[in-house]
Amino acid sequence: MKQRSRGILAGIALSVSLIAAPLSAQVRTIDPDRAIDSDLNGQPTVAATPEPVPVQDTTPEGQAAPPPVSPPPPPPTTNPDAAADARADRTTAAANTFERDDLLAAGEGVFGKGAEGLAGILEKILKDQGRPNAYIAGREASGAIIVGVRYGSGIMTHKVEGQQPVYWTGPSVGFDLGGDANKVFVLVYNLYDTEDLFHRFPGAEGRLYFVGGFAATYLRRGNVVLIPIRLGVGWRAGVNVGYMNFTHKSRWLPF
């Protein structure tokens, strides 16, 4: 019985040794350092991503940070058609007015060639008032003792509508004594329709011009301005008050 038990135990021991032998053959000792080195050598190195550098606030303590700077606004757009129209208007306005040499030649036709003081008074008026678009070259006769009367006639030359005869009368009331010259040259401004001339033009507040023997007064009705230039009027240009009434035909009544 004992021998049989020993045989069984020996058989079990033999079986265990046979099973353990393949397992021990399969176990392999690994060096940890060598394993890590082999892993590093066999795989590509990945670059580390740099950490963002924090922006330092340089604003002094106690002060608010400056506001963000806005981009400049875009340049204004120009309308080429509007600019062209404005240039055309200026060109048309200049073309429809008389230049200084034209006015001087017409004035010399009234007062005589080289009339002393005519160029000077024209220069002053054109500098202050600009260039007229019409003028009247004429004659007039007048006289006064406190109450005066004036009769005149001439040729109006308009830059657009050409020439036509005109007549005028003009009572005057005030401290007025003496007689007017018999020649007059009238600068006419803003007369776009010649029919707008045929009305009464009262004396208005405006600059009086005196150069040499010439004097100029200022009359206005609406936007139309008249500046009559007279030679040898002396006192009368400065102190009389009245009007000039323009008509298509001559008339005796001054009112």
Side-chain angles (χ1 to χ4, degrees), residues 57 68 98 127 135 201 226 229 252:
D57 186 4
F98 290 97
K127 181 180 179 180
Y135 63 82
F201 283 81
L226 307 180
I229 301 173
W252 286 106

Side-chain angles (χ1 to χ4, degrees), residues 168-236:
W168 65 89
T169 58
S172 61
V173 179
F175 183 70
D176 200 355
L177 177 65
D180 276 334
N182 62 352
K183 295 178 181 180
V184 63
F185 185 65
V186 185
L187 303 180
V188 184
Y189 291 84
N190 305 323
L191 185 65
Y192 303 111
D193 184 349
T194 55
E195 286 300 314
D196 292 337
L197 178 72
F198 299 102
H199 299 280
R200 292 182 179 182
F201 283 81
E205 293 184 2
R207 183 171 179 178
L208 299 176
Y209 299 88
F210 298 92
V211 177
F214 289 91
T217 55
Y218 186 91
L219 301 96
R220 180 171 184 169
R221 183 182 185 275
N223 291 327
V224 181
V225 174
L226 307 180
I227 301 181
I229 301 173
R230 296 183 175 91
L231 176 62
V233 297
W235 249 3
R236 297 199 60 200

Side-chain angles (χ1 to χ4, degrees), residues 148-151 168-171 200 243 245 251-255:
V149 62
R150 175 184 292 117
Y151 295 92
W168 65 89
T169 58
R200 292 182 179 182
Y243 59 81
N245 184 25
R251 50 184 298 181
W252 286 106
L253 291 176
F255 304 99

